[in-house]
Amino acid sequence: MTAESENARNSRTTQTKNTQAKKTTAKRAESKASNATATVESAARDAENSVSASARSAGEATKRVGRAAASGLQSGQQTLTANAAKAATAATTAWTVVKQRKAIAAGAAAGVAGVAGAAFAIGRSTAKPPVGPLTRLARGRI
């Protein structure tokens, strides 16, 4: 064989090797890209599931907060109603006292007079010297 045919054969072999190397490199790149795509798809699915779970969790938390607010509102209404009833009772009592102030003042004056009279009577009886039966009959002349 001649040098030219040798060179031609070598160049064809080199071209074939280069083509095969390019195909192998392309297959590797395609494989890597395929793996990367699968990884990205998997990550996207995981993210979607995570977002979905987070949304559900947030929805449940919102429901719990809503229930807590409703129960707080209800207990506040009950407290307000109870306090309003107490205030109404106190106002009714105060109004009764104001309406009956003359009778209350007269009763208090009578009570003070009664206590003073009783104290005077008790004081007079204790201030007398003890006397015997004959002195009492004679009304203190003997």
Side-chain angles (χ1 to χ4, degrees), residues 17-104:
K17 285 182 182 177
N18 284 342
T19 306
Q20 287 177 350
K22 286 180 183 176
K23 285 181 182 178
T24 306
T25 305
K27 284 183 182 179
R28 282 189 203 140
E30 182 182 346
S31 174
K32 287 182 181 179
S34 166
N35 288 340
T37 303
T39 303
V40 168
E41 286 176 354
S42 174
R45 269 188 253 113
D46 290 346
E48 182 182 354
N49 290 341
S50 175
V51 167
S52 176
S54 295
R56 270 187 256 119
S57 173
E60 291 171 5
T62 303
K63 286 179 186 177
R64 281 194 303 262
V65 168
R67 279 189 239 120
S71 68
L73 180 63
Q74 186 178 12
S75 69
Q77 287 174 342
Q78 290 172 351
T79 303
L80 181 64
T81 304
N83 287 340
K86 288 177 186 176
T89 302
T92 303
T93 304
W95 183 247
T96 303
V97 168
V98 168
K99 283 187 349 185
Q100 302 296 325
R101 67 187 181 277
K102 292 179 184 175
I104 292 170

Side-chain angles (χ1 to χ4, degrees), residues 115-132:
V115 169
F120 180 75
I122 291 171
R124 288 290 291 159
S125 68
T126 57
K128 291 181 185 176
V131 292

